[in-house]
Amino acid sequence: MQNNLLAGKKGIIFGALDEKSIAWKTALHCHAAGAKIVLSNAPVALRMGEINKLAETTEAPVIGADVTNMDDLKKLFEGAQKHFDGGIDFILHSIGMSLNVRKGKAYTDIDYGFNQKTLDISAMSLHRVLKTAWDMDAINEWGSVVALTYIAAQRVFPDYNEMADAKALLESVTRSFGYHYGVRKKVRINTISQSPTRTTAGSGVKGFDGFINYAEKMSPLGNASGDACAEYCVSMFSDLTKYVTMQNLFHDGGFSFTGVTQAVIEQMEK
Ligand SMILES: NC(=O)c1ccc[n+]([C@@H]2O[C@H](COP(=O)([O-])OP(=O)(O)OC[C@H]3O[C@@H](n4cnc5c(N)ncnc54)[C@H](O)[C@@H]3O)[C@@H](O)[C@H]2O)c1
């Protein structure tokens, strides 16, 4: 995508791990649309080194931050403001991790210590990011914050496990902080609920192949790709969507409002 939709805008992009990451694709699209960006990820992810390629292409500094650590976040925002020589116009929260899924624990047998960590990394981290920005008054008027979510927050997808609860909390923080930041500074905060996408986090879900094929068959437009999601993020960061806030926006080819499709009926008749 080559346009000037984000010309003059400055943003922080969390969560680019490798080329498959939705955050990686969003960083490329934001750069192509004229934005200046700062990239951030957990120190352990930065050690993989992949992000340096993206940093070079997008001419962006990389500032590490574990999103569960308030000191890290403060340093990140200080570094970003210094780099931009001013405030921030947009933020992408593209972060998710389930310790219970990783350890193979079923939803009915979760470890609550892991569960707390999952909720902190995947959901309360949005509150932490926003609170850090709020305290530092780091986001400019009409700024835009987007976090990525999944429809398991509204409907049961058994193998999505505790991440369903994390996404429900993430969407709630979006609404609650969206109210306060809207009143105070006209900052808008939304979640984009994305189709299943082949990434490191996505593929961690048990039975992911069945999951993604089913969604493809159940979506009139087919599954939305990571690139399409990145383009939607650009539109949400642009001035064309100034009055959209506190929403959960489905970017899923129509999956969320489809009861059944001909393709699924035919499959069931076999
Ligand atoms: N892939 C899908 O099917 C899909 C669908 C809907 C929503 N999402 C959401 O999109 C977002 C991005 O995921 P993705 O699919 O691009 O996968 P990904 O694995 O590429 O990205 C997840 C990122 O979270 C980061 N992260 C984990 N713990 C962290 C911590 N403590 N501090 C800072 N960063 C941390 C990882 O380093 C990684 O970069 C997630 O919120 C995910 O739940 C993904």
Side-chain angles (χ1 to χ4, degrees), residues 15 17 21-22 41 66-67 94-95 148-149 167 194 196-197 199 201:
L17 184 67
S21 301
I22 298 168
N41 209 330
D66 177 338
V67 278
S94 185
I95 301 160
L148 294 177
T149 187
K167 292 305 192 191
Q194 163 67 5
T197 315
T199 62

Side-chain angles (χ1 to χ4, degrees), residues 15-18 20-23 41-42 45 65-68 93-97 121 148-150 160 163 167 192-202 208:
L17 184 67
D18 57 31
K20 293 188 276 47
S21 301
I22 298 168
N41 209 330
D66 177 338
V67 278
T68 63
H93 176 289
S94 185
I95 301 160
M97 232 275 277
I121 294 172
L148 294 177
T149 187
Y150 184 59
Y160 204 67
M163 277 304 284
K167 292 305 192 191
I192 292 179
S193 186
Q194 163 67 5
S195 294
T197 315
R198 286 188 200 281
T199 62
T200 303
F208 189 76

Side-chain angles (χ1 to χ4, degrees), residues 3-10 30-36 89-90 234 237-239:
N3 57 48
N4 281 327
L5 264 187
L6 301 185
K9 295 207 184 288
K10 295 151 188 173
C30 287
H31 176 66
K36 284 207 166 95
D89 299 301
F90 66 88
V234 169
F237 296 148
S238 82
D239 289 337

Side-chain angles (χ1 to χ4, degrees), residues 1 13 23-33 37 54 57-58 227:
M1 184 172 45
I13 296 189
W24 187 288
K25 294 175 193 295
T26 306
L28 291 175
H29 283 275
C30 287
H31 176 66
I37 56 175
L54 178 66
T57 318
T58 57
D227 268 310

Side-chain angles (χ1 to χ4, degrees), residues 30-50:
C30 287
H31 176 66
K36 284 207 166 95
I37 56 175
V38 164
L39 299 168
S40 185
N41 209 330
V44 53
L46 297 188
R47 282 200 283 278
M48 275 173 51
E50 281 290 294

Side-chain angles (χ1 to χ4, degrees), residues 2-268:
Q2 205 81 36
N3 57 48
N4 281 327
L5 264 187
L6 301 185
K9 295 207 184 288
K10 295 151 188 173
I12 300 178
I13 296 189
F14 287 93
L17 184 67
D18 57 31
E19 283 177 4
K20 293 188 276 47
S21 301
I22 298 168
W24 187 288
K25 294 175 193 295
T26 306
L28 291 175
H29 283 275
C30 287
H31 176 66
K36 284 207 166 95
I37 56 175
V38 164
L39 299 168
S40 185
N41 209 330
V44 53
L46 297 188
R47 282 200 283 278
M48 275 173 51
E50 281 290 294
I51 201 169
N52 297 330
K53 292 187 223 157
L54 178 66
E56 206 172 300
T57 318
T58 57
E59 298 163 89
V62 179
I63 305 178
D66 177 338
V67 278
T68 63
N69 182 315
M70 295 305 279
D71 290 335
D72 279 11
L73 287 173
K74 187 159 182 270
K75 282 186 201 134
L76 163 64
F77 275 88
E78 282 168 356
Q81 282 183 304
K82 196 163 170 228
H83 174 69
F84 295 141
D85 196 19
I88 289 142
D89 299 301
F90 66 88
I91 296 173
L92 177 70
H93 176 289
S94 185
I95 301 160
M97 232 275 277
S98 164
L99 276 84
N100 278 295
V101 167
R102 201 175 251 202
K103 306 278 182 186
K105 289 264 197 195
Y107 187 71
T108 45
D109 186 33
I110 56 174
D111 175 294
Y112 294 110
F114 292 161
N115 183 238
Q116 273 187 2
K117 194 80 188 143
T118 298
L119 296 179
D120 200 7
I121 294 172
S122 308
M124 286 316 290
S125 58
L126 178 63
H127 195 288
R128 290 176 181 275
V129 166
L130 291 167
K131 159 122 175 79
T132 305
W134 176 274
D135 288 348
M136 296 170 71
D137 195 15
I139 306 182
N140 295 329
E141 269 209 340
W142 295 107
S144 174
V145 179
V146 167
L148 294 177
T149 187
Y150 184 59
I151 194 173
Q154 285 80 32
R155 299 204 213 148
V156 176
F157 292 80
D159 290 331
Y160 204 67
N161 206 310
E162 62 179 353
M163 277 304 284
D165 302 338
K167 292 305 192 191
L169 180 57
L170 179 77
E171 292 174 21
S172 181
V173 169
T174 298
R175 283 185 293 273
S176 301
F177 227 126
Y179 169 82
H180 292 288
Y181 232 143
V183 169
R184 180 180 173 182
K185 205 123 186 242
K186 302 203 183 308
V187 168
R188 56 200 197 275
I189 308 174
N190 295 284
T191 46
I192 292 179
S193 186
Q194 163 67 5
S195 294
T197 315
R198 286 188 200 281
T199 62
T200 303
S203 310
V205 179
K206 207 170 118 202
F208 189 76
D209 283 340
F211 208 57
I212 199 166
N213 292 338
Y214 172 71
E216 174 74 23
K217 281 198 166 31
M218 275 291 285
S219 310
L221 301 181
N223 286 332
S225 67
D227 268 310
C229 185
E231 288 180 342
Y232 193 25
C233 289
V234 169
S235 77
M236 289 306 299
F237 296 148
S238 82
D239 289 337
L240 301 180
T241 51
K242 273 174 118 169
Y243 284 87
V244 183
T245 193
M246 301 156 69
Q247 302 297 314
N248 179 40
L249 305 162
F250 288 106
H251 184 256
D252 63 0
F255 176 86
S256 42
F257 280 84
T258 303
V260 74
T261 59
Q262 194 56 36
V264 170
I265 290 173
E266 281 167 17
Q267 191 76 30
M268 295 308 292

